[in-house]
Amino acid sequence: MQAAYQCLRDPAKRRKYDEVLRRNEEREEWKWKGSLEVNLSEMECDLCCVVDEDNSDEEDDATGDEDTLEKVFFHPCRCGDTFQIVQEELQESISKTGTPWDKNAMFTDRVWQCESCSLTIRINVDIDID
């Protein structure tokens, strides 16, 4: 609390703090404006064995659980890599966007960045994903 007060009280520190916030907002806005819009209907889909990287291998061995099959959507990137989006991740991003009749709600509320380059995509959910 004291550090925040010191930052806001000092005009130079406050300017620097405001500049960092402004740059973060610009980056976020650019990510949305610069993202490629992709229709879900144009993406390939397959059932894949998805490994939960948050769980350790010891937990899987102890429980004996197999990795489950999940629906995964794929889209090729211009760099040659492939976007891979798990259905559950996609559904979570849609549920936060608002009402189904709102045109803006048709798009996911997040963008996905290619793991090999800087391209980002935003998905237009134009088909039922269940």
Side-chain angles (χ1 to χ4, degrees):
M1 182 74 94
Q2 183 65 25
Y5 176 73
Q6 292 297 331
C7 177
L8 295 175
R9 193 177 85 165
D10 182 351
K13 288 181 181 178
R14 174 67 185 257
R15 250 189 323 278
K16 185 176 179 181
Y17 175 78
D18 289 343
E19 182 66 20
V20 168
L21 283 180
R22 187 184 59 75
R23 281 192 209 138
N24 287 341
E25 288 173 1
E26 286 174 354
R27 258 188 232 113
E28 199 61 31
E29 184 179 336
W30 176 85
K31 187 168 48 169
W32 280 96
K33 288 182 178 179
S35 64
L36 177 67
E37 293 179 358
V38 176
N39 290 326
L40 187 62
S41 61
E42 296 171 359
M43 297 177 75
E44 293 183 32
C45 178
D46 202 358
L47 290 175
C48 297
C49 184
V50 177
V51 178
D52 186 2
E53 295 175 354
D54 293 333
N55 292 337
S56 66
D57 292 332
E58 295 88 26
E59 289 178 16
D60 292 340
D61 293 341
T63 61
D65 289 341
E66 297 284 329
D67 295 322
T68 58
L69 289 177
E70 296 187 43
K71 192 183 277 190
V72 180
F73 296 91
F74 302 94
H75 183 72
C77 182
R78 63 182 177 207
C79 72
D81 204 350
T82 303
F83 289 94
Q84 301 175 19
I85 299 149
V86 179
Q87 178 182 6
E88 181 180 333
E89 196 176 42
L90 186 62
Q91 286 173 320
E92 288 173 0
S93 71
I94 295 169
S95 64
K96 301 174 189 169
T97 57
T99 57
W101 56 86
D102 180 2
K103 183 180 183 328
N104 293 329
M106 300 305 286
F107 284 98
T108 56
D109 68 348
R110 75 173 272 204
V111 295
W112 283 266
Q113 183 170 348
C114 177
E115 293 180 3
S116 299
C117 72
S118 61
L119 181 67
T120 56
I121 63 171
R122 188 166 59 132
I123 301 172
N124 176 17
V125 183
D126 59 344
I127 60 172
D128 187 25
I129 59 174
D130 291 323

